[in-house]
């Protein structure tokens, strides 16, 4: 607003002084009688002169006033505003145009000059500001407590602050102009070059990296570099790098990492894992080794006390839970040992110890360690076993070990076998005088001499013999071996050795010469045995004809005579029976390949058939020419006969199982009759009803049809009962098919229901649904379950003081086996009989044969399972069997 007022004042002054000047010029030119054109030129100069004052409007107003003055004062007729002379009109127009254009141009020129003045002032101020900023930037760059580098695209150092140069041991001038890569390790230069290139590709984006720099003296420091590319004055990109010295931090991090690595390595080597647990917040921490001990994945399983309880062996779970509960309740230190049961079935022994500490927030936190002491426990068990083995070995070999104090003149240690050798009982107190009294007087000086030589000469090893006088008058000869133990002072401190009872060896040595002849005779006898053995060597030529046989084979009658020069398939008697076997064998021979365990039938010298197993290998000369086969043959007639006998045994066992099933059916006659009579009675009732419906005046066909359908259902039910009975009674081949064990149990229950009722036994079942299928013979498994159920029913006949209850349970274990258990509450199995109850011919029944459970065990084992008796705390007994699940179910 102020500038507008100033402009109006300036225009008014311009117009006022301009008008006055025009008036003066007019009066002067009127006085001089100047020409029109000259006056117009003078007016033009006045207008242009006052145009320099700045207002175009005022200049235009002066131009109009001047034209009016020309027309009024100088254009005829005088003193009128008319211009009649045609020559004066162009002058007026030219005056107007010139004055207007001139005023406009002068206005533009004045404005541009003013703008140039303003720009010049601004440039002057900008230059001063730029100089101030450059001074401040240089001060910041120079005195910043960080290293600063400015490099170009090629990596040349354009500038560096004094601190950066000083920390690297250089002067600024030594670094400027050099490649920035010179202050980096050789192996890091490619990395730095790549980082600079990345910054140049993304101008304005800050990049950060850690790298090592090399001082002038060769020492190294770690720096964290933050770099950003920018465009410099000539639009050339540069990279500004700020470096922070992180050497101490890096050393601390490396020390921490090394410490953590050492701790993890120490935990792994010592099999000790650390843990912490805050009962208040429930937070828990496990080290990597703790997760490894528990065989858990730290990425998927959160640690905690509940996880410890779940992994604990079932036998130790209650005590572990009690310790955890007590620790949470009392907030006190705890230490205990327990076992882990891992998913693979293995067991680990763990020693856990924790200390209750208070955190900064005031909470109680347990910090402790869990050590895998499985190896120690196994070593301890192995040591105990080794000690037992050593004691047993000493007892069996009649060798005792001892340690003797050469200065105290007494035993430091002696094994129980030493006392036994001297004729002392284990509980008998024995003094050194008593032991010396048992040594033969003639041998006592020899023992004292050994002790003296050990002290004086420090001989390392001694062997000597002496005799022991036993209380019964007998003499025991002892061979002793000992060596000295030298202490840290260089003196002998003790003797360690063994006493071996060589009484028998001494007697044997005396009898040795008398037995030499017998020994030679024995050697000859064993040589004869070797020559008459069933194994013999053979050799064939390149035409596969027999060229050599062990001499003893024909003499012993193993093979028929006259086999030399024959082919093997000429010797065999089963070529026509098994042509494919012999075709493959001949192909192997033609290919000069070794063969093993070819079995064929032939005859011995008496004409009796024998079975031979033979193996052979081709042999060649130095040039590789095939020379024939060498091998060994064995008479396996006894083995073949044994296999045949085993097949006959299995057949007899199957017959016995069939007889047992038939016998069981006889025992279940009442139940079977009841099962068949029920549907037969229903059939008769429904037939009578059908006749009644049909005999009406208006037969009720719908009701009759329903009666007939019921008859069909009952007939099918009776047929199914008869089918199951026939299947049990039938003697057929074993049929292994996928089965649902629960369905087999239900079929058995239908057959034994009447027996349960007649013996007043309550049946309860706990059959787990969705069990995997097994592979087995339905009839044989029914026989096993019926036998176990009938045994349970009979075991409860004498029970009168409690309910007679029979429980059948089916389940599945972690290994994927299907279990079936039959539990009764009868008299149970005596502890002395528990190990024999499954043996053949063992029975607790007065009329039993003892074959039922034995046959059941054979059937279950033939199915790949195991039948066992489970010990229970209450009355009665539990028999169960486990069968593997069907492979398709597993997959």
């Amino acid at each position: 607003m102020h500038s507008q007022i100033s402009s109006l004042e300036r225009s008014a002054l311009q117009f006022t002084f301009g008008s006055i000047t025009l008036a003066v010029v007019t009066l002067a030119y009127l006085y001089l009688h100047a020409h029109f054109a000259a006056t117009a030129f003078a007016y033009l100069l006045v207008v242009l002169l006052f145009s320099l004052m700045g207002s175009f409007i005022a200049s235009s107003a002066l131009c109009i006033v001047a034209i009016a003055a020309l027309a009024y004062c100088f254009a005829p007729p005088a003193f009128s505003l008319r211009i009649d002379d045609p020559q004066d009109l162009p002058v007026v127009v030219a005056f107007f145009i010139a004055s207007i254009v001139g005023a406009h141009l002068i206005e533009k020129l004045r404005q541009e000059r003013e703008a140039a003045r303003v720009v010049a002032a601004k440039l002057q101020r900008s230059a001063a500001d730029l100089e101030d900023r450059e001074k401040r930037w240089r001060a910041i760059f120079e005195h910043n407590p960080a290293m600063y580098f400015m490099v170009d695209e090629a990596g040349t150092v354009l500038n560096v602050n004094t601190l950066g140069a000083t920390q690297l041991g250089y002067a600024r001038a030594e670094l400027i102009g050099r490649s920035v890569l010179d202050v980096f390790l050789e192996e890091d230069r490619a990395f730095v070059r790549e980082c600079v290139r990345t910054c140049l590709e993304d101008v304005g984006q800050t990049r950060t990296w850690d790298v090592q720099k090399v001082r002038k003296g060769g020492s190294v420091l770690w720096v964290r570099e933050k770099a950003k590319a920018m465009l410099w004055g000539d639009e050339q990109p540069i990279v500004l790098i700020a470096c922070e010295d992180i050497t101490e931090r890096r050393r601390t991090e490396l020390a921490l990492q090394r410490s953590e690595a050492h701790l993890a390595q120490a935990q792994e080597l010592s099999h000790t894992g650390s843990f912490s647990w805050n009962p208040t917040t429930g937070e828990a921490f496990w080290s990597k080794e703790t997760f490894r001990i528990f065989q858990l994945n730290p990425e998927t399983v959160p640690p905690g006390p509940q996880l410890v309880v779940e992994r604990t062996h079932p036998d130790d779970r209650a005590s572990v839970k009690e310790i955890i509960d007590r620790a949470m309740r009392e907030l006190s230190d705890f230490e205990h040992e327990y076992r882990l049961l891992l998913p693979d079935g293995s067991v680990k022994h763990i020693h856990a110890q924790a200390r209750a500490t208070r955190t900064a927030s005031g909470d109680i936190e347990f910090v402790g360690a869990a050590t895998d002491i499985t190896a120690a426990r196994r070593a301890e068990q192995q040591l105990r076993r080794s000690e037992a083995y050593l004691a047993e070995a000493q007892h069996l070999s009649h060798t005792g070990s001892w340690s003797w104090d050469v200065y105290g003149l007494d035993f430091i240690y002696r094994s129980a076998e030493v006392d036994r050798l001297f004729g002392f009982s284990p509980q008998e107190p024995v003094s050194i005088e008593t032991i010396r009294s048992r040594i033969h007087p003639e041998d006592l000086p020899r023992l004292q001499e050994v002790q003296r030589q050990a002290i004086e000469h420090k001989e390392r090893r001694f062997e000597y013999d002496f005799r022991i006088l036993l209380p019964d008058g007998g003499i025991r000869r002892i061979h002793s071996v000992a060596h000295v133990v030298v202490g840290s002072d260089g003196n002998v401190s003790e003797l360690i050795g063994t006493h071996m009872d060589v009484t028998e060896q001494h007697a044997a040595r005396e009898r040795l010469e008398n037995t030499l002849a017998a020994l030679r005779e024995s050697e000859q006898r064993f040589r004869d045995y070797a020559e008459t053995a069933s194994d013999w060597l053979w050799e064939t030529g390149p035409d596969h004809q027999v060229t050599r046989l062990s001499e003893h084979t024909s003499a012993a009658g193993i093979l028929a005579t006259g086999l030399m020069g024959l082919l093997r398939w000429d010797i065999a008697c089963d070529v026509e029976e098994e042509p494919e076997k012999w075709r493959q064998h001949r192909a192997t021979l033609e290919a000069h390949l070794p063969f093993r365990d070819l079995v064929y039938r032939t005859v011995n010298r008496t004409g009796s058939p024998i079975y031979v197993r033979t193996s052979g290998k081709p042999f060649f000369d130095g040039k590789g020419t095939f020379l024939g086969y060498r091998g060994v043959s064995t008479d396996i007639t006894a083995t073949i006969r044994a296999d045949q006998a085993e097949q006959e045994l299995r057949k007899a066992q199957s017959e016995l199982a069939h007889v047992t099933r038939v016998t069981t059916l006889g025992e279940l006659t009442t139940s079977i009759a009841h099962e068949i009579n029920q549907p037969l009675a229903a059939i008769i009732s429904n037939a009578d009803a059908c006749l009644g419906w049909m005999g009406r005046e208006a037969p009720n066909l719908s009701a009759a049809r329903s009666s007939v359908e019921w008859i069909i259902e009952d007939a099918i039910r009776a047929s199914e009962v008869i089918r199951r009975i026939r299947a049990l009674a039938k003697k057929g081949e074993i049929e292994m098919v996928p089965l649902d064990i629960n369905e087999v149990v239900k079929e058995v229950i239908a057959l034994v229901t009447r027996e349960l009722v007649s013996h007043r036994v309550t049946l309860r079942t706990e059959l787990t649904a969705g069990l995997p299928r097994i592979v087995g013979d339905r009839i044989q498994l029914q026989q096993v379950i019926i036998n176990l159920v009938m045994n349970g029913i009979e075991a409860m006949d004498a029970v009168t003081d409690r309910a007679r209850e029979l429980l059948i349970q089916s389940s599945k274990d972690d290994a994927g086996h299907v279990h079936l258990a039959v539990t009764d509450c009868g008299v149970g199995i005596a502890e002395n009989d528990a190990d024999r109850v499954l043996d053949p011919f063992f029975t607790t029944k007065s009329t039993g044969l003892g074959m039922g459970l034995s046959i059941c065990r054979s059937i279950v084992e033939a199915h790949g399972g195991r039948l066992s008796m489970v010990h229970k705390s209450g009355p009665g007994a539990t028999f169960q069997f486990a069968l593997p699940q069907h492979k398709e179910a597993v997959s």
Side-chain angles (χ1 to χ4, degrees), residues 445-455 462 464 482 495:
R446 170 58 180 159
L447 272 63
Q448 295 171 347
E449 178 66 17
V450 166
Q451 178 177 330
R452 187 187 63 78
Q453 290 181 3
I455 296 175
F462 298 92
Y464 54 92
L495 279 170

Side-chain angles (χ1 to χ4, degrees), residues 503-808:
T503 306
E504 294 296 330
Q505 292 89 323
H506 189 272
R509 190 180 305 113
E510 293 179 351
R511 296 190 300 266
L512 180 60
E513 293 182 359
N514 298 328
T515 58
L516 287 178
L519 178 60
R520 296 188 186 96
E521 182 180 356
S522 176
E523 290 177 353
Q524 183 60 44
R525 183 169 59 254
F526 281 108
R527 187 179 296 110
D528 295 339
Y529 289 159
E531 292 179 355
T532 56
S534 59
D535 291 349
W536 63 91
L537 304 177
W538 54 264
E539 186 174 318
T540 60
D543 54 358
H544 306 302
Q545 294 180 353
V546 178
T547 58
R548 183 176 300 173
L549 280 173
S550 298
E551 296 180 358
H552 69 282
T553 55
S554 297
I558 298 176
L559 294 176
T561 57
L563 300 183
M564 302 298 292
L566 295 180
L567 299 169
R568 186 172 293 105
W569 42 90
D570 293 336
I571 300 171
C573 300
D574 57 357
V575 177
E576 295 181 358
E577 299 174 8
E578 300 181 79
E580 179 61 22
K581 176 183 74 176
W582 287 102
R583 186 193 65 77
Q584 294 179 2
H585 177 63
R586 295 178 69 170
T588 301
L589 296 181
E590 293 301 326
H592 301 165
L593 298 175
F595 63 91
R596 290 186 62 84
D597 299 333
L598 171 68
V599 178
Y600 62 92
R601 190 178 77 253
T602 183
V603 294
N604 60 13
R605 61 185 299 178
T606 63
S608 301
I610 62 172
Y611 291 89
V612 177
R613 180 176 63 230
T614 185
S615 300
K617 179 180 179 182
F619 65 98
F620 306 85
D621 62 10
K623 299 180 180 179
T625 304
F626 173 67
L627 299 179
Y629 274 84
R630 291 175 180 152
V632 61
S633 295
T634 304
D635 181 3
I636 59 171
T637 306
T639 303
I640 298 296
R641 297 285 188 265
D643 291 341
Q644 294 172 351
E646 184 178 358
Q647 293 176 3
E648 292 296 330
L649 177 60
R650 291 178 180 174
K651 182 178 179 182
Q653 190 177 35
S654 176
E655 293 285 349
L656 182 57
H658 174 252
V659 170
T660 304
R661 289 201 301 273
V662 174
T663 303
T664 303
L665 286 177
E667 296 174 353
L668 298 177
T669 302
T670 304
S671 296
I672 294 170
H674 177 73
E675 288 295 317
I676 297 176
N677 284 335
Q678 275 189 334
L680 291 179
I683 290 172
I684 295 172
S685 176
N686 289 324
D688 290 339
C690 179
L691 293 175
W693 294 116
M694 295 294 293
R696 290 188 176 185
E697 292 181 3
N700 190 339
L701 297 180
S702 177
R705 182 178 297 106
S706 297
S707 296
V708 173
E709 290 175 353
W710 293 338
I711 291 172
I712 294 173
E713 292 178 0
D714 291 329
I716 292 174
R717 190 161 63 122
S719 176
E720 183 63 20
V721 174
I722 294 173
R723 183 192 65 78
R724 291 200 295 267
I725 295 169
R726 291 185 61 189
L728 282 172
K730 181 181 178 182
K731 184 177 74 172
E733 296 294 330
I734 296 177
E735 184 180 2
M736 304 294 282
V737 296
L739 296 173
D740 183 348
I741 194 64
N742 290 340
E743 292 180 1
V744 178
V745 171
K746 292 174 182 178
E747 292 172 353
V748 169
I749 292 174
L751 293 175
V752 299
T753 300
R754 194 63 180 175
E755 292 295 327
L756 294 168
V757 173
S758 63
H759 287 81
R760 300 189 302 280
V761 174
T762 301
L763 176 65
R764 183 163 61 91
T765 60
E766 294 179 2
L767 304 180
T768 303
L771 289 176
R773 299 175 74 84
I774 61 172
V775 176
D777 182 80
R778 182 185 299 271
I779 303 304
Q780 289 195 351
L781 293 180
Q782 286 179 358
Q783 179 179 354
V784 173
I785 300 172
I786 289 174
N787 190 286
L788 297 180
V789 170
M790 293 301 295
N791 283 351
I793 292 173
E794 294 175 1
M796 292 186 287
D797 279 344
V799 173
T800 58
D801 58 342
R802 57 183 178 274
R804 301 178 181 180
E805 183 180 72
L806 189 71
L807 173 62
I808 301 179

Side-chain angles (χ1 to χ4, degrees), residues 188-215:
D188 292 339
R189 292 178 181 177
F191 168 73
V192 175
R193 190 182 296 109
E194 179 64 20
C195 292
V196 172
R197 186 188 63 77
T198 304
C199 291
L200 292 171
E201 289 179 353
D202 195 356
V203 176
Q205 182 68 36
T206 301
R207 306 285 181 180
T208 304
W209 63 82
D210 294 349
V211 71
Q212 296 182 87
K213 281 191 173 182
V214 183
R215 292 189 178 96

Side-chain angles (χ1 to χ4, degrees), residues 350-574:
I350 304 298
H351 177 266
Q353 184 175 8
R355 178 174 297 171
T357 60
R358 192 171 295 278
T359 64
S361 61
D363 295 337
I364 293 296
E365 183 179 46
F366 290 99
V367 179
T371 304
D372 181 358
I373 59 172
T374 306
R377 286 292 172 266
R378 289 177 179 170
E380 182 179 344
Q381 295 173 0
Q382 187 67 27
L383 178 60
R384 292 175 180 172
R385 189 179 298 111
S386 298
E387 290 176 348
Y389 289 162
L390 177 60
E392 186 65 21
Q394 289 189 356
H395 180 68
L396 293 175
S397 62
H398 305 293
T399 302
S401 55
W402 50 267
S403 175
W404 175 262
D405 186 350
V406 297
Y407 295 105
L409 301 179
D410 199 355
F411 283 107
I412 301 174
Y413 160 80
R414 66 178 184 271
S415 65
E417 187 64 17
V418 172
D419 289 342
R420 195 196 66 79
L421 292 177
F422 278 84
F424 300 117
S425 62
Q427 295 79 19
E428 182 179 355
V430 181
S431 64
I432 186 63
E433 288 76 12
T434 307
I435 293 176
R436 283 175 175 163
S437 67
R438 294 284 176 93
I439 300 175
H440 198 286
E442 296 178 359
D443 298 333
L444 194 57
R446 170 58 180 159
L447 272 63
Q448 295 171 347
E449 178 66 17
V450 166
Q451 178 177 330
R452 187 187 63 78
Q453 290 181 3
I455 296 175
E456 295 179 358
H457 304 290
K458 300 179 183 178
E459 295 185 15
R460 293 292 179 179
R461 180 181 173 86
F462 298 92
E463 286 194 38
Y464 54 92
D465 295 334
F466 65 94
R467 290 164 291 178
I468 295 176
L469 302 176
L470 298 176
D472 59 2
I475 294 179
R476 181 169 287 155
R477 294 183 177 272
I478 302 298
H479 177 72
S480 185
V481 178
H483 68 86
V484 300
V485 175
V486 179
S488 58
D489 57 356
N491 296 321
V492 175
S493 60
E494 60 182 293
L495 279 170
I496 296 178
T498 60
H499 288 339
M500 178 183 293
D501 183 359
V502 293
T503 306
E504 294 296 330
Q505 292 89 323
H506 189 272
R509 190 180 305 113
E510 293 179 351
R511 296 190 300 266
L512 180 60
E513 293 182 359
N514 298 328
T515 58
L516 287 178
L519 178 60
R520 296 188 186 96
E521 182 180 356
S522 176
E523 290 177 353
Q524 183 60 44
R525 183 169 59 254
F526 281 108
R527 187 179 296 110
D528 295 339
Y529 289 159
E531 292 179 355
T532 56
S534 59
D535 291 349
W536 63 91
L537 304 177
W538 54 264
E539 186 174 318
T540 60
D543 54 358
H544 306 302
Q545 294 180 353
V546 178
T547 58
R548 183 176 300 173
L549 280 173
S550 298
E551 296 180 358
H552 69 282
T553 55
S554 297
I558 298 176
L559 294 176
T561 57
L563 300 183
M564 302 298 292
L566 295 180
L567 299 169
R568 186 172 293 105
W569 42 90
D570 293 336
I571 300 171
C573 300
D574 57 357

